[in-house]
Each structure stands twice: as structure tokens, then as C-alpha cells.
Amino acid sequence: MPLPNSPLFFKGGCNCGAVRYKIAIPNAEERPLHPSSDAASKPVRLPFVCTDHCNDCRRATGAILAHWICTPIAMVTSSLVLRNAASLEADASKRKRDVTEERSPWSPATNVFEPGPASANSFLTFYESSPGRRRSFCGRCGTMIAYAAFPMPDGWPDMLDIVLGTVDREDLELDSLVPERQLWWDKGISWVQKFSESGAMTLPKHPLYKINEFAT
């Protein structure tokens, strides 16, 4: 379903905490229109939440179905752990519970999510997966964070498509982040398309990892 019309604020980041971001979304009337939406009858505003059947995104995320919050980059700020001052133990058994690492000030993502001085002393890493397409991930824990096209096609604001699974759990639990549409359907894998439509309602459900225990 579409995002609520009221202002929204989401936080997220990678698995190790080296890359953190905030998304501040204004009132609906202040959000830009999706360039290919019907502004008169069914306007779609940015950001929006979607599933993605694209082959490249399936490989890049390692998920059979990628999920994104496609966001104007002007709505995103980020803070990065400084690589030269990082203190997280590589051996997980030696880590303290609440490690506070020196990090950069919160800055506009426009200055951060591209190779350059703002990201140089950090774990934020980039891979140009095809011409004009850049994927961002944490070089310490491996979490893919975002995708960006550069330059954007005419009519689009600069965008940062953020992997939905990197949003903090307390924000993900809100109904507002339920995907509202499916993109790249014609590139999808047949059984994945069927799974995305019918869901996993008939599969056995287990509370944790033991398959001889069943959820009630």
C-alpha cells in the first residue's frame, strides 16, 4: 500500500553498524511525483516501496526477490564509522555488547553515497554493476545498502534505492512499509512470481530453526 500522507522518519543501516542512514519523508503534497505516474487519476509519489524481479538485483542482494524503498536522495542523511578509528573486534566472541565507534557527522547522502572524500575513510564501498549503475555496500560486514543510477533519466530527482531489509526492525514493523507494487515483472522467474503472489501460507512454520517444532 502507498506510504501514509503524514511525515515519516525511518532509520537503518548495515549489520555491523558501520553504515547508518536516516530517511525523512515530508507530507505527501511535498513529495515529488513519480515521472511515469498518472498525476490526474492515480498519482504515485516518491518515495515508494516495491518488490523487484530484476536479474541484477536478485544477484546483488542475494535474495530471490529484492525489496526497495525508492527514495529521493535529498531525503536521506548518513553517518559512517571512520575506518582508521574502527574498534569492532573481528572475532565475534571477543566483542563487547555496546561498542561505540568514532563516526562521521550526519551528512546529506548526496555527499556520501558516491566514491569521494566523504566516503574515503569509511567501510562504505561501491561497485558499478553496469554503466551508470552503482551499488553501495558495507565493506566490513558485506550488507548491501543501496542502488543508484547516475545520471537519472530526465524528469527524475536524484534517487537512492535503499534495500528494505536494512531498515531498523522497529520501523519495518510498521504497516506503512508494506510494498505497494512489483517492478520488472517481465524479467521474473516463474516460481518466484507465483510465490510473490500467493505467499508462503501453505508452508510449515517453525518458531526458530528446529523443524520438529511448529508455530501456533
Side-chain angles (χ1 to χ4, degrees):
M1 61 183 181
L3 291 169
N5 292 331
S6 57
L8 300 164
F9 182 78
F10 302 122
K11 306 182 301 300
C14 67
N15 195 35
C16 71
V19 181
R20 294 289 296 167
Y21 62 79
K22 298 176 183 176
I23 307 172
I25 305 172
N27 281 310
E29 60 268 20
E30 300 177 54
R31 302 172 197 168
L33 283 169
H34 190 295
S36 61
S37 74
D38 186 339
S41 61
K42 290 186 177 180
V44 176
R45 294 189 177 272
L46 303 173
F48 70 98
V49 183
C50 67
T51 61
D52 177 6
H53 294 263
C54 159
N55 287 320
D56 284 350
C57 293
R58 174 172 46 81
R59 290 193 188 95
T61 61
I64 59 169
L65 192 59
H67 294 74
W68 306 96
I69 177 165
C70 301
T71 311
I73 198 169
M75 298 180 187
V76 185
T77 54
S78 182
S79 173
L80 310 174
V81 165
L82 302 179
R83 183 184 283 264
N84 64 0
S87 57
L88 187 71
E89 288 279 358
D91 185 342
S93 66
K94 296 179 181 178
R95 289 179 200 155
K96 298 177 181 178
R97 279 189 173 273
D98 297 313
V99 178
T100 300
E101 298 184 277
E102 187 177 348
R103 49 190 323 122
S104 67
W106 288 94
S107 304
T110 305
N111 302 328
V112 176
F113 276 81
E114 64 178 16
S119 60
N121 184 26
S122 78
F123 292 97
L124 186 59
T125 308
F126 306 98
Y127 174 65
E128 191 170 332
S129 55
S130 55
R133 303 291 185 269
R134 180 188 298 125
R135 300 182 187 273
S136 312
F137 59 97
C138 175
R140 183 165 71 177
C141 67
T143 304
M144 183 177 167
I145 303 291
Y147 163 93
F150 58 96
M152 289 295 296
D154 289 343
W156 282 86
D158 288 337
M159 298 286 291
L160 191 68
D161 297 349
I162 295 173
V163 178
L164 190 61
T166 65
V167 174
D168 288 350
R169 178 168 182 140
E170 57 265 31
D171 293 334
L172 268 182
E173 288 179 338
L174 303 173
D175 290 343
S176 54
L177 286 174
V178 175
E180 63 177 278
R181 57 193 65 244
Q182 302 196 57
L183 305 185
W184 295 94
W185 181 263
D186 287 353
K187 300 295 184 181
I189 295 168
S190 177
W191 73 264
V192 177
Q193 291 173 325
K194 293 175 184 176
F195 193 80
S196 70
E197 287 190 305
S198 60
M201 298 304 294
T202 60
L203 297 182
K205 301 175 183 68
H206 310 285
L208 299 172
Y209 65 93
K210 295 180 179 179
I211 62 172
N212 63 338
E213 298 177 358
F214 295 88
T216 56

Coordinates of all heavy atoms in Angstrom, one line a residue, residues 93-153:
S93 N 33.4 -13.5 19.2 CA 33.4 -13.9 20.6 C 34.1 -13.0 21.5 O 33.9 -13.0 22.8 CB 34.1 -15.3 20.7 OG 35.5 -15.3 20.4
K94 N 34.9 -12.0 21.0 CA 35.7 -11.1 21.8 C 35.0 -9.7 21.9 O 35.5 -8.8 22.5 CB 37.1 -10.9 21.3 CG 37.9 -12.2 21.3 CD 39.3 -11.9 20.8 CE 40.1 -13.2 20.8 NZ 41.5 -13.0 20.2
R95 N 33.9 -9.6 21.2 CA 33.2 -8.2 21.1 C 32.5 -7.9 22.4 O 31.8 -8.8 23.0 CB 32.2 -8.2 19.9 CG 32.9 -8.2 18.6 CD 31.9 -8.1 17.5 NE 32.5 -8.6 16.2 CZ 31.8 -9.1 15.2 NH1 30.5 -9.3 15.3 NH2 32.5 -9.5 14.2
K96 N 32.5 -6.7 22.8 CA 31.7 -6.2 23.8 C 30.3 -5.9 23.3 O 30.1 -5.7 22.1 CB 32.3 -4.9 24.4 CG 33.7 -5.1 25.0 CD 34.3 -3.9 25.6 CE 35.7 -4.1 26.1 NZ 36.3 -2.9 26.6
R97 N 29.3 -5.8 24.2 CA 27.9 -5.7 23.8 C 27.7 -4.4 23.1 O 27.1 -4.4 21.9 CB 27.0 -5.8 25.0 CG 26.7 -7.3 25.4 CD 25.7 -7.3 26.4 NE 25.3 -8.7 26.7 CZ 24.4 -9.4 26.0 NH1 23.8 -8.9 25.0 NH2 24.2 -10.7 26.3
D98 N 28.0 -3.3 23.7 CA 27.6 -2.0 23.1 C 28.9 -1.3 22.7 O 29.5 -0.5 23.5 CB 26.8 -1.2 24.1 CG 25.5 -1.8 24.4 OD1 24.8 -2.2 23.4 OD2 25.1 -1.9 25.5
V99 N 29.4 -1.5 21.5 CA 30.6 -0.9 21.1 C 30.3 0.4 20.4 O 29.4 0.5 19.6 CB 31.4 -1.8 20.0 CG1 32.6 -1.1 19.5 CG2 31.7 -3.1 20.7
T100 N 30.9 1.5 20.9 CA 30.7 2.8 20.3 C 32.0 3.2 19.6 O 33.1 3.2 20.1 CB 30.5 3.9 21.4 OG1 29.3 3.5 22.2 CG2 30.3 5.3 20.8
E101 N 31.8 3.3 18.3 CA 33.0 3.6 17.4 C 32.9 5.1 16.9 O 31.8 5.6 16.7 CB 33.0 2.7 16.2 CG 33.1 1.2 16.6 CD 33.2 0.3 15.4 OE1 32.2 -0.1 14.8 OE2 34.4 0.0 15.0
E102 N 34.0 5.6 16.7 CA 34.1 7.0 16.1 C 33.5 7.0 14.7 O 33.8 6.2 13.9 CB 35.5 7.5 16.1 CG 35.6 9.0 15.8 CD 37.1 9.5 15.8 OE1 37.9 8.8 16.4 OE2 37.3 10.6 15.4
R103 N 32.6 8.0 14.5 CA 31.9 8.0 13.2 C 31.8 9.5 12.7 O 32.1 10.4 13.4 CB 30.6 7.4 13.3 CG 29.7 7.8 14.4 CD 28.4 6.8 14.4 NE 27.9 6.4 13.2 CZ 27.8 5.1 12.8 NH1 28.1 4.1 13.6 NH2 27.4 4.8 11.6
S104 N 31.5 9.6 11.4 CA 31.4 10.9 10.8 C 30.1 11.6 11.3 O 29.1 10.9 11.7 CB 31.4 10.7 9.3 OG 30.2 10.1 8.9
P105 N 30.0 12.9 11.2 CA 28.8 13.6 11.5 C 27.7 13.2 10.4 O 28.0 12.7 9.3 CB 29.1 15.1 11.3 CG 30.6 15.1 11.3 CD 31.1 13.8 10.8
W106 N 26.4 13.3 10.8 CA 25.3 13.1 9.9 C 25.4 14.1 8.7 O 25.5 15.3 9.0 CB 24.0 13.2 10.6 CG 23.8 12.0 11.5 CD1 24.0 11.9 12.8 CD2 23.2 10.7 11.1 NE1 23.7 10.6 13.3 CE2 23.2 9.9 12.2 CE3 22.8 10.2 9.9 CZ2 22.8 8.6 12.2 CZ3 22.3 8.9 9.8 CH2 22.3 8.1 11.0
S107 N 25.4 13.6 7.5 CA 25.6 14.4 6.3 C 24.6 14.0 5.3 O 24.1 12.9 5.2 CB 27.0 14.2 5.8 OG 28.0 14.5 6.7
P108 N 24.3 14.9 4.3 CA 23.4 14.6 3.2 C 24.0 13.4 2.4 O 25.2 13.3 2.1 CB 23.4 15.8 2.4 CG 23.7 17.0 3.3 CD 24.7 16.4 4.3
A109 N 23.1 12.4 2.1 CA 23.6 11.2 1.4 C 24.2 11.6 0.0 O 25.0 10.8 -0.5 CB 22.5 10.2 1.3
T110 N 23.8 12.7 -0.5 CA 24.3 13.1 -1.8 C 25.8 13.2 -1.8 O 26.5 12.9 -2.8 CB 23.7 14.5 -2.2 OG1 22.3 14.4 -2.2 CG2 24.2 14.9 -3.6
N111 N 26.4 13.6 -0.6 CA 27.8 13.8 -0.5 C 28.5 12.5 -0.1 O 29.7 12.4 -0.1 CB 28.1 14.8 0.5 CG 27.5 16.2 0.2 OD1 27.3 16.5 -1.0 ND2 27.1 16.9 1.2
V112 N 27.7 11.5 0.3 CA 28.3 10.3 0.9 C 28.2 9.1 0.0 O 29.2 8.3 -0.1 CB 27.6 10.0 2.3 CG1 28.1 8.7 2.9 CG2 27.8 11.1 3.3
F113 N 27.1 8.9 -0.6 CA 26.9 7.6 -1.4 C 27.4 7.7 -2.8 O 26.8 7.5 -3.8 CB 25.4 7.3 -1.4 CG 25.0 6.5 -0.2 CD1 24.7 7.1 1.0 CD2 24.9 5.1 -0.2 CE1 24.3 6.4 2.1 CE2 24.5 4.4 0.9 CZ 24.3 5.1 2.1
E114 N 28.7 8.1 -2.9 CA 29.5 8.1 -4.1 C 30.9 8.1 -3.7 O 31.3 8.5 -2.7 CB 29.1 9.3 -5.0 CG 29.5 10.6 -4.4 CD 29.2 11.8 -5.3 OE1 28.4 11.6 -6.3 OE2 29.7 12.9 -5.1
P115 N 31.8 7.5 -4.6 CA 33.2 7.5 -4.3 C 33.7 8.9 -4.2 O 33.4 9.8 -5.0 CB 33.8 6.8 -5.5 CG 32.7 6.0 -6.1 CD 31.5 6.8 -5.8
G116 N 34.5 9.2 -3.1 CA 35.0 10.5 -3.0 C 35.4 10.8 -1.5 O 35.4 9.9 -0.7
P117 N 35.8 12.0 -1.2 CA 36.4 12.3 0.1 C 35.4 12.0 1.3 O 35.9 11.5 2.3 CB 36.6 13.8 0.1 CG 36.7 14.1 -1.4 CD 35.8 13.2 -2.1
A118 N 34.1 12.1 1.1 CA 33.2 11.9 2.2 C 33.1 10.5 2.6 O 32.7 10.1 3.7 CB 31.8 12.5 1.8
S119 N 33.4 9.5 1.7 CA 33.3 8.1 2.0 C 34.6 7.4 2.0 O 34.7 6.2 2.3 CB 32.4 7.4 1.0 OG 32.9 7.6 -0.4
A120 N 35.7 8.1 1.8 CA 37.0 7.5 1.6 C 37.5 6.8 2.9 O 38.0 5.7 2.8 CB 38.0 8.6 1.2
N121 N 37.3 7.5 4.0 CA 37.8 6.9 5.3 C 36.6 6.2 6.0 O 36.3 6.5 7.1 CB 38.3 8.0 6.2 CG 38.9 7.4 7.5 OD1 39.3 6.3 7.5 ND2 38.9 8.2 8.5
S122 N 36.0 5.2 5.3 CA 34.8 4.5 5.8 C 34.8 3.1 5.2 O 35.6 2.7 4.4 CB 33.5 5.3 5.5 OG 33.2 5.0 4.1
F123 N 33.8 2.3 5.7 CA 33.6 1.0 5.1 C 32.6 1.0 4.0 O 32.3 -0.1 3.4 CB 33.2 0.0 6.2 CG 34.3 -0.2 7.3 CD1 34.3 0.5 8.4 CD2 35.3 -1.2 7.0 CE1 35.3 0.3 9.4 CE2 36.3 -1.4 7.9 CZ 36.3 -0.7 9.1
L124 N 32.0 2.1 3.7 CA 31.1 2.2 2.6 C 31.8 2.0 1.3 O 32.8 2.7 0.9 CB 30.4 3.5 2.6 CG 29.2 3.7 1.5 CD1 28.1 2.7 1.8 CD2 28.6 5.1 1.6
T125 N 31.4 1.0 0.5 CA 32.1 0.5 -0.7 C 31.2 0.5 -1.8 O 30.0 0.4 -1.7 CB 32.7 -0.9 -0.4 OG1 33.4 -0.9 0.8 CG2 33.6 -1.4 -1.5
F126 N 31.7 0.7 -3.0 CA 30.9 0.8 -4.2 C 31.3 -0.1 -5.3 O 32.5 -0.5 -5.5 CB 31.0 2.3 -4.8 CG 30.7 3.3 -3.7 CD1 31.7 3.9 -3.1 CD2 29.4 3.7 -3.4 CE1 31.5 4.9 -2.1 CE2 29.1 4.6 -2.5 CZ 30.1 5.2 -1.8
Y127 N 30.3 -0.5 -6.1 CA 30.5 -1.4 -7.2 C 29.6 -1.0 -8.4 O 28.4 -0.8 -8.2 CB 30.2 -2.9 -6.9 CG 30.3 -3.8 -8.1 CD1 31.5 -4.1 -8.7 CD2 29.1 -4.5 -8.5 CE1 31.5 -4.9 -9.8 CE2 29.2 -5.3 -9.6 CZ 30.4 -5.6 -10.2 OH 30.4 -6.4 -11.3
E128 N 30.2 -0.6 -9.5 CA 29.5 -0.2 -10.7 C 29.1 -1.5 -11.4 O 29.8 -2.1 -12.1 CB 30.3 0.7 -11.5 CG 29.5 1.4 -12.6 CD 30.2 2.5 -13.4 OE1 31.1 3.1 -12.8 OE2 29.9 2.7 -14.5
S129 N 27.8 -1.9 -11.2 CA 27.4 -3.2 -11.7 C 27.1 -3.2 -13.2 O 27.1 -4.2 -13.9 CB 26.1 -3.7 -11.0 OG 25.1 -2.7 -11.0
S130 N 26.8 -2.0 -13.8 CA 26.6 -1.8 -15.2 C 26.8 -0.3 -15.4 O 26.8 0.5 -14.5 CB 25.3 -2.3 -15.7 OG 24.2 -1.7 -15.0
P131 N 27.0 0.1 -16.7 CA 27.3 1.5 -16.9 C 26.2 2.4 -16.3 O 25.0 2.2 -16.6 CB 27.3 1.6 -18.5 CG 27.8 0.2 -18.9 CD 27.1 -0.7 -17.9
G132 N 26.6 3.3 -15.5 CA 25.7 4.3 -14.9 C 24.9 3.7 -13.8 O 23.9 4.3 -13.4
R133 N 25.3 2.6 -13.2 CA 24.5 1.9 -12.1 C 25.5 1.5 -11.0 O 26.4 0.8 -11.2 CB 23.8 0.6 -12.6 CG 22.9 0.9 -13.8 CD 21.6 1.7 -13.4 NE 20.7 1.8 -14.5 CZ 20.6 2.8 -15.3 NH1 21.6 3.8 -15.3 NH2 19.7 2.9 -16.3
R134 N 25.3 2.1 -9.8 CA 26.2 1.9 -8.7 C 25.5 1.3 -7.5 O 24.4 1.7 -7.1 CB 26.8 3.3 -8.3 CG 27.8 3.2 -7.1 CD 28.2 4.6 -6.6 NE 28.8 5.3 -7.6 CZ 28.4 6.6 -8.0 NH1 27.4 7.1 -7.4 NH2 29.1 7.2 -8.9
R135 N 26.1 0.3 -7.0 CA 25.6 -0.4 -5.8 C 26.5 -0.1 -4.6 O 27.7 -0.1 -4.8 CB 25.4 -1.9 -6.0 CG 24.5 -2.2 -7.2 CD 24.2 -3.6 -7.4 NE 23.4 -3.8 -8.6 CZ 22.1 -3.8 -8.6 NH1 21.4 -3.7 -7.5 NH2 21.4 -4.0 -9.8
S136 N 25.9 0.1 -3.4 CA 26.7 0.5 -2.2 C 26.5 -0.6 -1.2 O 25.4 -1.1 -1.0 CB 26.1 1.8 -1.7 OG 26.0 2.8 -2.7
F137 N 27.6 -0.9 -0.6 CA 27.5 -2.0 0.5 C 28.6 -1.7 1.5 O 29.5 -0.9 1.3 CB 27.7 -3.4 -0.1 CG 29.0 -3.6 -0.9 CD1 30.1 -4.2 -0.3 CD2 29.1 -3.2 -2.2 CE1 31.2 -4.4 -0.9 CE2 30.3 -3.4 -2.9 CZ 31.4 -4.0 -2.2
C138 N 28.4 -2.4 2.7 CA 29.4 -2.2 3.7 C 30.6 -3.2 3.5 O 30.4 -4.4 3.3 CB 28.8 -2.5 5.1 SG 30.0 -2.5 6.4
G139 N 31.8 -2.6 3.4 CA 32.9 -3.5 3.1 C 33.4 -4.2 4.4 O 34.3 -5.1 4.2
R140 N 32.8 -4.0 5.5 CA 33.2 -4.8 6.7 C 32.3 -6.0 6.9 O 32.8 -7.1 7.2 CB 33.2 -3.8 7.9 CG 33.6 -4.5 9.2 CD 34.0 -3.6 10.3 NE 32.8 -2.9 10.9 CZ 32.9 -2.1 11.9 NH1 34.1 -1.7 12.5 NH2 31.8 -1.5 12.4
C141 N 31.0 -5.8 6.9 CA 30.1 -6.9 7.1 C 29.4 -7.5 5.9 O 28.8 -8.5 5.9 CB 29.0 -6.5 8.1 SG 27.8 -5.3 7.6
G142 N 29.5 -6.7 4.7 CA 29.0 -7.2 3.5 C 27.6 -6.9 3.1 O 27.1 -7.2 2.0
T143 N 26.9 -6.2 4.0 CA 25.5 -5.8 3.8 C 25.4 -4.9 2.6 O 26.0 -3.8 2.5 CB 24.9 -5.1 5.0 OG1 25.0 -6.0 6.1 CG2 23.4 -4.8 4.8
M144 N 24.5 -5.3 1.6 CA 24.2 -4.3 0.5 C 23.2 -3.3 1.1 O 22.2 -3.6 1.7 CB 23.6 -5.0 -0.7 CG 23.3 -4.0 -1.8 SD 22.7 -4.8 -3.3 CE 22.2 -3.2 -4.2
I145 N 23.5 -2.0 0.8 CA 22.7 -0.9 1.3 C 21.8 -0.3 0.3 O 20.6 -0.1 0.5 CB 23.6 0.2 1.9 CG1 24.5 -0.4 3.0 CG2 22.8 1.3 2.5 CD1 23.8 -0.8 4.3
A146 N 22.3 0.0 -0.9 CA 21.6 0.9 -1.8 C 22.0 0.7 -3.3 O 23.1 0.1 -3.5 CB 21.7 2.3 -1.4
Y147 N 21.2 1.2 -4.1 CA 21.4 1.2 -5.6 C 21.2 2.6 -6.1 O 20.2 3.3 -5.6 CB 20.5 0.2 -6.2 CG 20.3 0.4 -7.7 CD1 21.1 -0.3 -8.6 CD2 19.3 1.2 -8.2 CE1 20.9 -0.2 -10.0 CE2 19.1 1.4 -9.6 CZ 19.9 0.7 -10.5 OH 19.7 0.8 -11.8
A148 N 21.9 3.1 -7.0 CA 21.7 4.4 -7.6 C 22.1 4.4 -9.1 O 23.0 3.7 -9.5 CB 22.5 5.4 -6.9
A149 N 21.3 5.1 -9.9 CA 21.6 5.3 -11.3 C 22.2 6.7 -11.4 O 21.7 7.7 -10.8 CB 20.3 5.2 -12.1
F150 N 23.2 6.9 -12.3 CA 23.8 8.2 -12.5 C 24.2 8.4 -13.9 O 24.9 7.5 -14.5 CB 25.0 8.4 -11.5 CG 26.1 7.3 -11.7 CD1 27.2 7.6 -12.5 CD2 26.0 6.1 -11.1 CE1 28.2 6.7 -12.7 CE2 27.0 5.1 -11.3 CZ 28.1 5.4 -12.1
P151 N 23.7 9.4 -14.6 CA 22.7 10.4 -14.1 C 21.3 9.7 -14.2 O 21.1 8.7 -14.9 CB 22.8 11.6 -15.0 CG 23.2 11.0 -16.3 CD 24.2 9.8 -16.0
M152 N 20.4 10.3 -13.4 CA 19.0 9.8 -13.5 C 18.4 10.2 -14.9 O 18.8 11.2 -15.4 CB 18.1 10.3 -12.4 CG 18.5 9.8 -11.0 SD 18.1 8.0 -10.9 CE 16.3 8.0 -11.1
P153 N 17.4 9.5 -15.4 CA 16.7 9.9 -16.6 C 16.0 11.2 -16.4 O 15.7 11.7 -15.3 CB 15.7 8.8 -16.8 CG 16.2 7.6 -16.0 CD 16.9 8.2 -14.9

